[in-house]
Amino acid sequence: MTDKNSNAMWGGRFAAGPDAIMEAINASISYDKRMAAQDIAGSRAHAAMLAAQGIITDSDATAIREGLLTVLSEIETGSFQFSTALEDIHMNVEARLKEVIGAPAGRLHTGRSRNDQVATDFRLWVRDQVDAAIAGCEALQRALLQQAEAGADWVMPGFTHLQTAQPVTWGHHMMAYVEMLGRDVGRFRDARARMNESPLGAAALAGTGFPIDRHMTATALGFDRPSANSLDAVADRDFALEFLSAATICAMHLSRFAEELVIWSSAQFRFVALSDRFSTGSSIMPQKKNPDAAELIRAKIGRILGAMVALFTVMKGLPLAYSKDMQEDKEQTFDAADSLMLALAAMEGMVRDMTANTKALEAAAGAGFSTATDLADWLVRALNMPFRDAHHVTGSLVALAEAKGCDLPDLTLADMQSVHSAITDDVFGVLGVHNSVASRTSYGGTAPLRVREQIARWKDILG
Protein backbone atom coordinates (compact mmCIF):
# COMPACT_ATOMS: atom_id res chain seq x y z
CA MET A 1 0.00 0.00 0.00
CA THR A 2 2.81 2.38 0.88
CA ASP A 3 4.63 1.65 -2.35
CA LYS A 4 1.50 2.24 -4.38
CA ASN A 5 0.85 5.61 -2.74
CA SER A 6 4.49 6.55 -3.08
CA ASN A 7 4.51 5.75 -6.78
CA ALA A 8 1.19 7.48 -7.39
CA MET A 9 2.50 10.79 -6.15
CA TRP A 10 5.01 10.89 -9.00
CA GLY A 11 2.24 10.36 -11.52
CA GLY A 12 2.11 9.24 -15.15
CA ARG A 13 5.36 8.25 -16.74
CA PHE A 14 7.19 8.36 -13.39
CA ALA A 15 5.07 5.62 -11.81
CA ALA A 16 8.27 3.61 -11.30
CA GLY A 17 9.26 6.05 -8.56
CA PRO A 18 12.18 8.33 -7.75
CA ASP A 19 14.72 6.42 -9.84
CA ALA A 20 12.80 7.21 -13.01
CA ILE A 21 12.56 10.86 -12.07
CA MET A 22 16.27 11.09 -11.33
CA GLU A 23 17.15 9.50 -14.65
CA ALA A 24 14.83 11.86 -16.51
CA ILE A 25 16.10 15.04 -14.85
CA ASN A 26 19.76 14.02 -14.95
CA ALA A 27 20.02 12.73 -18.51
CA SER A 28 20.84 15.12 -21.36
CA ILE A 29 21.31 12.67 -24.22
CA SER A 30 17.95 13.56 -25.75
CA TYR A 31 19.39 16.89 -26.85
CA ASP A 32 23.17 16.91 -26.38
CA LYS A 33 23.48 14.14 -28.98
CA ARG A 34 23.48 17.08 -31.39
CA MET A 35 27.08 17.62 -30.32
CA ALA A 36 28.22 14.14 -31.39
CA ALA A 37 30.49 15.38 -34.16
CA GLN A 38 32.11 17.95 -31.86
CA ASP A 39 32.48 15.39 -29.06
CA ILE A 40 34.21 12.92 -31.34
CA ALA A 41 36.45 15.60 -32.84
CA GLY A 42 37.55 16.62 -29.35
CA SER A 43 38.20 13.03 -28.32
CA ARG A 44 40.23 12.31 -31.45
CA ALA A 45 42.39 15.38 -30.80
CA HIS A 46 42.79 14.38 -27.15
CA ALA A 47 43.84 10.82 -28.03
CA ALA A 48 46.42 12.07 -30.54
CA MET A 49 47.87 14.41 -27.92
CA LEU A 50 48.02 11.67 -25.26
CA ALA A 51 50.05 9.51 -27.63
CA ALA A 52 52.33 12.39 -28.65
CA GLN A 53 53.05 13.03 -24.99
CA GLY A 54 53.73 9.35 -24.28
CA ILE A 55 50.76 9.10 -21.92
CA ILE A 56 49.15 6.31 -23.98
CA THR A 57 50.66 4.14 -26.69
CA ASP A 58 50.47 4.95 -30.35
CA SER A 59 48.60 1.71 -30.98
CA ASP A 60 45.95 2.57 -28.39
CA ALA A 61 45.62 6.08 -29.81
CA THR A 62 45.19 4.69 -33.32
CA ALA A 63 42.55 2.24 -32.17
CA ILE A 64 40.72 5.01 -30.32
CA ARG A 65 40.80 7.43 -33.23
CA GLU A 66 39.67 4.84 -35.78
CA GLY A 67 37.04 3.49 -33.42
CA LEU A 68 35.65 6.98 -32.91
CA LEU A 69 35.22 7.34 -36.66
CA THR A 70 33.23 4.11 -36.64
CA VAL A 71 31.02 5.48 -33.88
CA LEU A 72 30.55 8.76 -35.76
CA SER A 73 29.55 6.85 -38.88
CA GLU A 74 26.95 4.93 -36.90
CA ILE A 75 25.53 8.16 -35.50
CA GLU A 76 25.41 9.83 -38.90
CA THR A 77 23.69 6.86 -40.54
CA GLY A 78 21.16 6.53 -37.74
CA SER A 79 22.15 3.05 -36.57
CA PHE A 80 23.57 4.20 -33.22
CA GLN A 81 21.47 3.31 -30.19
CA PHE A 82 21.46 6.15 -27.68
CA SER A 83 20.90 5.23 -24.04
CA THR A 84 19.29 7.49 -21.45
CA ALA A 85 20.94 5.40 -18.73
CA LEU A 86 24.32 6.60 -20.01
CA GLU A 87 23.16 10.20 -19.42
CA ASP A 88 24.94 12.18 -22.10
CA ILE A 89 26.68 12.13 -25.45
CA HIS A 90 30.11 11.69 -23.84
CA MET A 91 29.25 8.47 -22.00
CA ASN A 92 27.22 7.12 -24.92
CA VAL A 93 30.16 7.56 -27.28
CA GLU A 94 32.68 6.14 -24.83
CA ALA A 95 30.53 3.11 -24.04
CA ARG A 96 30.06 2.30 -27.71
CA LEU A 97 33.78 2.87 -28.34
CA LYS A 98 34.55 0.21 -25.75
CA GLU A 99 32.23 -2.20 -27.55
CA VAL A 100 34.01 -1.45 -30.83
CA ILE A 101 37.69 -1.53 -29.76
CA GLY A 102 37.72 -3.03 -26.27
CA ALA A 103 40.17 -2.08 -23.51
CA PRO A 104 41.98 0.83 -25.22
CA ALA A 105 38.76 2.83 -24.98
CA GLY A 106 39.27 3.08 -21.24
CA ARG A 107 42.43 5.14 -21.76
CA LEU A 108 40.68 7.92 -23.68
CA HIS A 109 39.52 9.81 -20.61
CA THR A 110 43.02 10.17 -19.18
CA GLY A 111 43.83 13.77 -18.29
CA ARG A 112 40.36 15.17 -18.83
CA SER A 113 36.92 15.35 -17.20
CA ARG A 114 33.40 15.53 -18.49
CA ASN A 115 33.51 19.14 -17.29
CA ASP A 116 36.16 20.27 -19.77
CA GLN A 117 34.85 17.82 -22.34
CA VAL A 118 31.36 19.32 -22.42
CA ALA A 119 32.77 22.85 -22.30
CA THR A 120 34.87 22.02 -25.36
CA ASP A 121 32.05 20.28 -27.24
CA PHE A 122 29.59 23.08 -26.58
CA ARG A 123 32.09 25.77 -27.52
CA LEU A 124 32.83 23.98 -30.78
CA TRP A 125 29.11 23.64 -31.50
CA VAL A 126 28.39 27.30 -30.79
CA ARG A 127 31.37 28.32 -32.90
CA ASP A 128 29.88 26.35 -35.81
CA GLN A 129 26.57 28.15 -35.30
CA VAL A 130 28.31 31.51 -35.29
CA ASP A 131 29.87 30.66 -38.65
CA ALA A 132 26.47 29.58 -39.97
CA ALA A 133 24.84 32.77 -38.70
CA ILE A 134 27.47 34.90 -40.41
CA ALA A 135 26.90 33.05 -43.68
CA GLY A 136 23.13 33.47 -43.29
CA CYS A 137 23.42 37.21 -42.64
CA GLU A 138 25.70 37.68 -45.64
CA ALA A 139 23.35 35.72 -47.91
CA LEU A 140 20.50 38.00 -46.84
CA GLN A 141 22.69 41.05 -47.39
CA ARG A 142 23.34 39.92 -50.96
CA ALA A 143 19.60 39.52 -51.56
CA LEU A 144 19.01 43.02 -50.20
CA LEU A 145 21.78 44.39 -52.42
CA GLN A 146 19.99 42.98 -55.46
CA GLN A 147 16.81 44.76 -54.47
CA ALA A 148 18.71 47.97 -53.71
CA GLU A 149 20.49 47.94 -57.04
CA ALA A 150 17.27 47.36 -58.94
CA GLY A 151 15.50 50.16 -57.09
CA ALA A 152 18.19 52.76 -56.48
CA ASP A 153 16.00 55.34 -58.30
CA TRP A 154 12.56 54.18 -57.15
CA VAL A 155 10.93 56.67 -54.80
CA MET A 156 8.89 55.68 -51.78
CA PRO A 157 7.76 57.36 -48.59
CA GLY A 158 10.13 57.47 -45.68
CA PHE A 159 8.34 57.27 -42.37
CA THR A 160 8.75 58.48 -38.83
CA HIS A 161 6.09 57.42 -36.32
CA LEU A 162 4.72 55.42 -39.28
CA GLN A 163 3.65 58.78 -40.71
CA THR A 164 4.89 60.02 -44.07
CA ALA A 165 8.00 62.09 -43.42
CA GLN A 166 10.18 62.60 -46.52
CA PRO A 167 10.62 60.77 -49.81
CA VAL A 168 13.43 58.21 -49.91
CA THR A 169 14.52 55.65 -52.44
CA TRP A 170 13.73 51.96 -52.33
CA GLY A 171 17.43 51.25 -52.61
CA HIS A 172 18.15 53.44 -49.59
CA HIS A 173 15.58 51.55 -47.52
CA MET A 174 17.02 48.18 -48.51
CA MET A 175 20.51 49.36 -47.68
CA ALA A 176 19.42 50.29 -44.16
CA TYR A 177 18.97 46.59 -43.46
CA VAL A 178 22.28 45.77 -45.12
CA GLU A 179 23.89 48.05 -42.55
CA MET A 180 22.02 46.42 -39.66
CA LEU A 181 23.05 42.96 -40.77
CA GLY A 182 26.62 44.21 -41.15
CA ARG A 183 26.61 45.09 -37.45
CA ASP A 184 25.15 41.67 -36.69
CA VAL A 185 28.00 40.03 -38.57
CA GLY A 186 30.44 42.20 -36.61
CA ARG A 187 28.94 41.07 -33.31
CA PHE A 188 29.09 37.41 -34.32
CA ARG A 189 32.71 37.79 -35.42
CA ASP A 190 33.64 39.55 -32.19
CA ALA A 191 31.98 36.79 -30.19
CA ARG A 192 33.77 34.14 -32.23
CA ALA A 193 37.16 35.71 -31.57
CA ARG A 194 36.53 35.72 -27.83
CA MET A 195 35.15 32.19 -27.69
CA ASN A 196 37.99 30.68 -29.68
CA GLU A 197 39.91 29.36 -26.67
CA SER A 198 40.07 25.67 -25.83
CA PRO A 199 38.86 24.41 -22.42
CA LEU A 200 40.18 20.91 -23.15
CA GLY A 201 42.71 19.83 -20.56
CA ALA A 202 41.28 21.98 -17.77
CA ALA A 203 39.91 18.68 -16.46
CA ALA A 204 37.35 18.87 -13.64
CA LEU A 205 38.40 22.35 -12.47
CA ALA A 206 42.09 22.38 -11.44
CA GLY A 207 43.95 21.03 -14.44
CA THR A 208 45.75 17.68 -14.42
CA GLY A 209 49.03 16.21 -13.28
CA PHE A 210 49.51 14.36 -16.56
CA PRO A 211 52.02 16.02 -18.92
CA ILE A 212 49.39 16.99 -21.48
CA ASP A 213 49.92 19.52 -24.26
CA ARG A 214 46.91 21.82 -24.32
CA HIS A 215 48.35 23.90 -27.13
CA MET A 216 48.41 20.81 -29.35
CA THR A 217 44.73 20.01 -28.80
CA ALA A 218 43.77 23.66 -29.15
CA THR A 219 45.49 23.85 -32.53
CA ALA A 220 44.00 20.55 -33.68
CA LEU A 221 40.49 21.84 -32.94
CA GLY A 222 40.99 25.21 -34.60
CA PHE A 223 41.22 27.24 -31.40
CA ASP A 224 43.59 30.19 -31.17
CA ARG A 225 44.92 29.12 -27.76
CA PRO A 226 44.03 27.11 -24.67
CA SER A 227 42.08 28.93 -21.96
CA ALA A 228 44.41 30.36 -19.34
CA ASN A 229 42.50 29.46 -16.17
CA SER A 230 41.13 25.98 -15.55
CA LEU A 231 38.38 27.18 -13.20
CA ASP A 232 37.12 29.69 -15.73
CA ALA A 233 37.48 27.20 -18.58
CA VAL A 234 34.91 24.76 -17.17
CA ALA A 235 32.65 27.40 -15.57
CA ASP A 236 32.41 29.83 -18.49
CA ARG A 237 29.34 30.05 -20.71
CA ASP A 238 29.97 33.61 -21.87
CA PHE A 239 30.47 32.27 -25.37
CA ALA A 240 26.89 30.98 -25.46
CA LEU A 241 25.55 34.16 -23.89
CA GLU A 242 27.36 36.29 -26.46
CA PHE A 243 26.01 34.15 -29.27
CA LEU A 244 22.49 34.45 -27.88
CA SER A 245 22.91 38.20 -27.41
CA ALA A 246 24.06 38.69 -30.99
CA ALA A 247 21.33 36.34 -32.21
CA THR A 248 18.71 38.34 -30.31
CA ILE A 249 19.78 41.63 -31.89
CA CYS A 250 19.86 39.99 -35.32
CA ALA A 251 16.39 38.52 -34.76
CA MET A 252 15.17 41.96 -33.71
CA HIS A 253 16.39 43.37 -37.03
CA LEU A 254 14.65 40.58 -38.91
CA SER A 255 11.48 41.21 -36.92
CA ARG A 256 11.49 44.91 -37.81
CA PHE A 257 11.81 44.13 -41.51
CA ALA A 258 9.18 41.40 -41.23
CA GLU A 259 6.80 43.95 -39.69
CA GLU A 260 7.39 46.26 -42.63
CA LEU A 261 6.72 43.45 -45.10
CA VAL A 262 3.46 42.62 -43.32
CA ILE A 263 2.40 46.27 -43.61
CA TRP A 264 3.71 46.77 -47.14
CA SER A 265 2.01 43.66 -48.52
CA SER A 266 -1.41 44.65 -47.13
CA ALA A 267 -4.21 45.76 -49.42
CA GLN A 268 -4.07 49.18 -47.81
CA PHE A 269 -0.42 49.74 -48.78
CA ARG A 270 0.26 47.47 -51.78
CA PHE A 271 3.94 48.43 -51.70
CA VAL A 272 5.14 44.88 -52.34
CA ALA A 273 3.86 41.54 -53.56
CA LEU A 274 5.27 38.53 -51.75
CA SER A 275 5.65 35.32 -53.69
CA ASP A 276 3.29 32.39 -53.20
CA ARG A 277 6.24 30.43 -51.80
CA PHE A 278 6.24 32.62 -48.69
CA SER A 279 2.51 33.30 -48.35
CA THR A 280 -0.58 31.28 -47.51
CA GLY A 281 -4.26 31.56 -48.28
CA SER A 282 -7.24 31.73 -45.98
CA SER A 283 -9.38 28.67 -45.32
CA ILE A 284 -12.59 30.67 -45.83
CA MET A 285 -11.62 33.94 -47.56
CA PRO A 286 -10.42 33.19 -51.10
CA GLN A 287 -9.22 36.74 -51.75
CA LYS A 288 -6.62 36.69 -48.98
CA LYS A 289 -2.89 36.17 -49.29
CA ASN A 290 -1.32 36.07 -45.85
CA PRO A 291 2.33 36.97 -45.20
CA ASP A 292 2.76 34.02 -42.84
CA ALA A 293 6.51 33.67 -43.30
CA ALA A 294 7.03 37.31 -42.33
CA GLU A 295 4.75 36.93 -39.33
CA LEU A 296 6.60 33.84 -38.12
CA ILE A 297 9.95 35.60 -38.53
CA ARG A 298 8.53 38.45 -36.50
CA ALA A 299 7.67 35.97 -33.75
CA LYS A 300 11.02 34.18 -33.64
CA ILE A 301 12.67 36.86 -31.53
CA GLY A 302 10.43 35.76 -28.66
CA ARG A 303 12.08 32.35 -28.59
CA ILE A 304 15.59 33.69 -29.13
CA LEU A 305 15.32 36.45 -26.53
CA GLY A 306 13.72 33.92 -24.17
CA ALA A 307 16.70 31.62 -24.60
CA MET A 308 19.10 34.42 -23.77
CA VAL A 309 17.17 35.43 -20.65
CA ALA A 310 16.91 31.80 -19.56
CA LEU A 311 20.66 31.20 -19.79
CA PHE A 312 21.49 34.46 -18.04
CA THR A 313 19.14 33.36 -15.27
CA VAL A 314 20.79 29.94 -15.01
CA MET A 315 24.29 31.41 -14.80
CA LYS A 316 23.74 34.42 -12.59
CA GLY A 317 24.06 32.70 -9.20
CA LEU A 318 26.50 29.88 -9.83
CA PRO A 319 29.68 29.66 -7.76
CA LEU A 320 32.83 28.42 -9.45
CA ALA A 321 33.38 26.05 -10.99
CA TYR A 322 30.93 23.59 -12.58
CA SER A 323 27.39 22.99 -11.37
CA LYS A 324 24.78 20.69 -12.89
CA ASP A 325 22.62 23.77 -13.51
CA MET A 326 24.83 24.36 -16.52
CA GLN A 327 23.29 21.35 -18.23
CA GLU A 328 20.40 23.74 -18.92
CA ASP A 329 22.58 25.75 -21.29
CA LYS A 330 22.12 23.64 -24.38
CA GLU A 331 18.43 23.20 -25.15
CA GLN A 332 17.89 26.95 -25.08
CA THR A 333 20.90 27.64 -27.29
CA PHE A 334 20.06 24.83 -29.71
CA ASP A 335 16.52 26.15 -30.15
CA ALA A 336 17.68 29.74 -30.57
CA ALA A 337 20.23 28.75 -33.20
CA ASP A 338 17.62 26.76 -35.12
CA SER A 339 15.15 29.64 -34.94
CA LEU A 340 17.70 32.20 -36.12
CA MET A 341 18.87 30.15 -39.08
CA LEU A 342 15.30 29.44 -40.16
CA ALA A 343 14.39 33.12 -39.89
CA LEU A 344 17.44 34.19 -41.90
CA ALA A 345 16.75 31.66 -44.63
CA ALA A 346 13.07 32.58 -44.85
CA MET A 347 13.82 36.29 -44.98
CA GLU A 348 16.40 35.77 -47.71
CA GLY A 349 13.83 33.85 -49.74
CA MET A 350 11.18 36.53 -49.28
CA VAL A 351 13.55 39.33 -50.21
CA ARG A 352 14.73 37.57 -53.36
CA ASP A 353 11.17 36.79 -54.46
CA MET A 354 9.32 39.99 -53.52
CA THR A 355 8.25 42.46 -56.18
CA ALA A 356 7.99 46.18 -55.49
CA ASN A 357 4.91 48.03 -56.74
CA THR A 358 6.73 51.09 -58.00
CA LYS A 359 3.54 52.96 -58.92
CA ALA A 360 2.10 52.58 -55.44
CA LEU A 361 5.44 53.49 -53.89
CA GLU A 362 5.76 56.67 -55.94
CA ALA A 363 2.17 57.71 -55.32
CA ALA A 364 2.64 57.26 -51.58
CA ALA A 365 5.98 59.06 -51.68
CA GLY A 366 4.28 62.26 -52.82
CA ALA A 367 1.38 62.06 -50.41
CA GLY A 368 1.15 63.60 -46.97
CA PHE A 369 3.10 66.77 -47.87
CA SER A 370 6.31 64.73 -47.92
CA THR A 371 8.29 67.51 -49.62
CA ALA A 372 7.52 70.10 -46.94
CA THR A 373 11.06 69.89 -45.60
CA ASP A 374 12.41 70.46 -49.11
CA LEU A 375 10.27 73.59 -49.31
CA ALA A 376 11.60 74.84 -45.98
CA ASP A 377 15.18 74.12 -47.05
CA TRP A 378 14.58 76.05 -50.30
CA LEU A 379 13.33 79.06 -48.36
CA VAL A 380 16.53 78.99 -46.32
CA ARG A 381 18.80 78.63 -49.36
CA ALA A 382 17.02 80.88 -51.85
CA LEU A 383 15.64 83.59 -49.57
CA ASN A 384 18.25 83.45 -46.81
CA MET A 385 15.43 82.91 -44.35
CA PRO A 386 16.19 81.62 -40.84
CA PHE A 387 15.10 77.98 -40.65
CA ARG A 388 12.58 78.62 -37.87
CA ASP A 389 10.91 81.26 -40.02
CA ALA A 390 11.03 78.94 -43.03
CA HIS A 391 9.43 76.22 -40.91
CA HIS A 392 6.58 78.61 -40.05
CA VAL A 393 6.05 79.70 -43.66
CA THR A 394 6.05 76.08 -44.82
CA GLY A 395 3.51 75.18 -42.16
CA SER A 396 1.25 77.94 -43.44
CA LEU A 397 1.61 76.64 -47.02
CA VAL A 398 0.77 73.11 -45.86
CA ALA A 399 -2.35 74.46 -44.16
CA LEU A 400 -3.28 76.28 -47.36
CA ALA A 401 -2.84 73.10 -49.42
CA GLU A 402 -4.93 71.16 -46.91
CA ALA A 403 -7.67 73.75 -47.19
CA LYS A 404 -7.58 73.51 -50.99
CA GLY A 405 -7.51 69.71 -50.90
CA CYS A 406 -4.25 69.47 -52.83
CA ASP A 407 -0.58 68.75 -52.25
CA LEU A 408 2.22 71.31 -52.13
CA PRO A 409 3.34 70.94 -55.78
CA ASP A 410 -0.28 71.63 -56.84
CA LEU A 411 -0.36 75.09 -55.28
CA THR A 412 0.03 77.94 -57.74
CA LEU A 413 2.79 80.51 -57.48
CA ALA A 414 0.12 83.05 -56.53
CA ASP A 415 -1.03 80.77 -53.73
CA MET A 416 2.50 80.58 -52.39
CA GLN A 417 3.14 84.30 -52.74
CA SER A 418 -0.01 84.97 -50.77
CA VAL A 419 1.84 83.42 -47.81
CA HIS A 420 5.25 84.94 -48.59
CA SER A 421 5.68 87.39 -51.45
CA ALA A 422 9.37 86.61 -52.10
CA ILE A 423 8.73 83.03 -53.24
CA THR A 424 9.61 82.56 -56.91
CA ASP A 425 8.78 80.00 -59.57
CA ASP A 426 12.08 78.23 -58.80
CA VAL A 427 10.44 76.65 -55.76
CA PHE A 428 8.69 74.09 -57.95
CA GLY A 429 12.07 72.60 -58.81
CA VAL A 430 12.39 71.13 -55.33
CA LEU A 431 8.84 69.98 -54.71
CA GLY A 432 8.71 66.82 -56.83
CA VAL A 433 9.63 63.58 -55.04
CA HIS A 434 12.35 62.75 -57.54
CA ASN A 435 13.88 66.18 -57.08
CA SER A 436 13.63 65.69 -53.34
CA VAL A 437 15.54 62.43 -53.20
CA ALA A 438 18.09 63.62 -55.76
CA SER A 439 18.90 66.59 -53.55
CA ARG A 440 19.77 64.44 -50.50
CA THR A 441 23.40 64.04 -51.48
CA SER A 442 25.03 64.17 -48.04
CA TYR A 443 27.08 61.10 -47.16
CA GLY A 444 24.68 58.32 -46.28
CA GLY A 445 21.77 60.18 -47.87
CA THR A 446 18.98 58.79 -50.02
CA ALA A 447 20.11 60.27 -53.34
CA PRO A 448 20.47 57.52 -55.96
CA LEU A 449 24.11 58.56 -56.44
CA ARG A 450 24.84 57.95 -52.77
CA VAL A 451 22.85 54.73 -52.68
CA ARG A 452 24.87 53.32 -55.57
CA GLU A 453 28.08 54.26 -53.77
CA GLN A 454 26.98 52.28 -50.73
CA ILE A 455 25.94 49.33 -52.89
CA ALA A 456 29.42 49.30 -54.45
CA ARG A 457 31.05 49.53 -51.01
CA TRP A 458 29.07 46.57 -49.72
CA LYS A 459 29.77 44.52 -52.82
CA ASP A 460 33.46 44.98 -52.12
CA ILE A 461 32.98 44.02 -48.47
CA LEU A 462 31.01 40.86 -49.27
CA GLY A 463 33.26 39.90 -52.15
Side-chain angles (χ1 to χ4, degrees):
M1 188 70 172
T2 303
D3 288 343
K4 181 179 180 181
N5 289 339
S6 176
N7 291 343
M9 70 180 290
W10 303 110
R13 59 179 292 204
F14 297 123
D19 288 348
I21 291 179
M22 185 58 196
E23 181 175 292
I25 197 171
N26 194 51
S28 58
I29 188 60
S30 63
Y31 51 86
D32 69 16
K33 61 186 177 184
R34 290 186 65 165
M35 301 191 301
Q38 289 80 13
D39 188 74
I40 288 171
S43 291
R44 282 172 51 81
H46 186 67
M49 180 275 296
L50 291 175
Q53 294 298 104
I55 300 170
I56 66 174
T57 65
D58 288 340
S59 60
D60 282 349
T62 298
I64 289 169
R65 286 166 58 79
E66 291 179 354
L68 285 168
L69 290 180
T70 299
V71 175
L72 179 60
S73 177
E74 292 175 355
I75 293 172
E76 290 177 340
T77 58
S79 62
F80 190 95
Q81 297 296 311
F82 292 101
S83 168
T84 304
L86 291 170
E87 297 183 12
D88 56 34
I89 186 61
H90 326 298
M91 297 303 293
N92 270 263
V93 168
E94 191 170 328
R96 178 56 182 150
L97 180 65
K98 186 174 182 180
E99 292 174 352
V100 172
I101 69 170
R107 301 188 183 280
L108 173 59
H109 211 52
T110 307
R112 73 175 184 185
S113 161
R114 275 196 291 178
N115 291 358
D116 63 329
Q117 190 177 357
V118 69
T120 302
D121 293 358
F122 193 29
R123 197 173 288 244
L124 287 170
W125 192 91
V126 171
R127 190 179 70 182
D128 289 344
Q129 299 311 301
V130 166
D131 291 342
I134 290 170
C137 287
E138 290 180 342
L140 177 52
Q141 284 180 299
R142 290 186 176 93
L144 288 162
L145 281 171
Q146 286 185 352
Q147 285 285 351
E149 196 162 28
D153 296 292
W154 301 342
V155 291
M156 64 176 290
F159 297 97
T160 60
H161 308 279
L162 202 54
Q163 306 294 314
T164 299
Q166 292 177 303
V168 296
T169 55
W170 172 267
H172 194 53
H173 201 110
M174 295 300 107
M175 292 305 294
Y177 286 100
V178 172
E179 292 290 334
M180 292 183 214
L181 288 160
R183 294 193 296 273
D184 292 326
V185 168
R187 276 182 282 271
F188 283 124
R189 285 183 174 148
D190 288 346
R192 193 191 197 284
R194 269 184 296 278
M195 74 176 61
N196 209 33
E197 295 183 348
S198 174
L200 193 57
L205 75 163
T208 178
F210 290 99
I212 62 172
D213 184 350
R214 294 189 61 209
H215 288 86
M216 178 179 174
T217 51
T219 299
L221 294 171
F223 290 113
D224 294 329
R225 65 192 71 83
S227 52
N229 183 286
S230 60
L231 281 167
D232 181 52
V234 299
D236 171 47
R237 292 298 183 270
D238 288 2
F239 61 92
L241 289 167
E242 282 202 73
F243 167 69
L244 292 173
S245 298
T248 298
I249 297 173
C250 183
M252 176 270 294
H253 291 149
L254 298 179
S255 181
R256 294 184 73 178
F257 194 23
E259 169 70 1
E260 292 195 318
L261 293 180
V262 170
I263 294 170
W264 291 356
S265 62
S266 68
Q268 289 71 30
F269 274 72
R270 297 184 301 108
F271 283 4
V272 299
L274 301 177
S275 73
D276 291 345
R277 294 199 309 157
F278 294 98
S279 306
T280 63
S282 166
S283 60
I284 64 169
M285 294 171 282
Q287 84 282 7
K288 291 198 68 185
K289 185 175 181 180
N290 299 324
D292 282 11
E295 291 169 354
L296 290 166
I297 290 170
R298 188 174 58 187
K300 288 298 183 186
I301 187 174
R303 296 176 71 148
I304 297 170
L305 173 61
M308 182 185 73
V309 172
L311 186 52
F312 269 111
T313 306
V314 167
M315 297 301 299
K316 73 172 183 63
L318 298 186
L320 297 180
Y322 180 83
S323 297
K324 194 71 169 181
D325 311 50
M326 292 164 68
Q327 186 167 292
E328 291 294 311
D329 57 1
K330 296 171 197 66
E331 283 183 286
Q332 308 286 350
T333 308
F334 292 165
D335 184 74
D338 291 345
S339 295
L340 179 64
M341 292 310 301
L342 183 58
L344 282 167
M347 184 60 84
E348 182 199 352
M350 278 196 300
V351 169
R352 289 194 184 280
D353 286 2
M354 71 180 180
T355 303
N357 182 344
T358 55
K359 290 183 179 179
L361 288 169
E362 183 163 345
F369 308 105
S370 65
T371 56
T373 306
D374 298 278
L375 174 55
D377 289 346
W378 182 87
L379 293 170
V380 172
R381 289 194 308 270
L383 305 184
N384 198 29
M385 189 180 295
F387 183 81
R388 286 303 172 197
D389 293 345
H391 187 281
H392 177 76
V393 170
T394 301
S396 298
L397 288 168
V398 167
L400 178 60
E402 281 184 317
K404 286 178 163 287
C406 66
D407 208 343
L408 286 171
D410 302 317
L411 291 174
T412 66
L413 180 60
D415 290 332
M416 293 194 179
Q417 288 178 339
S418 71
V419 173
H420 195 285
S421 60
I423 294 176
T424 69
D425 197 52
D426 291 343
V427 71
F428 293 100
V430 302
L431 291 182
V433 290
H434 288 280
N435 291 333
S436 174
V437 296
S439 72
R440 305 292 172 181
T441 56
S442 58
Y443 182 81
T446 193
L449 172 69
R450 295 290 175 250
V451 171
R452 290 191 174 92
E453 288 174 353
Q454 294 304 319
I455 291 170
R457 179 175 74 88
W458 274 104
K459 281 185 172 182
D460 287 341
I461 292 171
L462 293 171

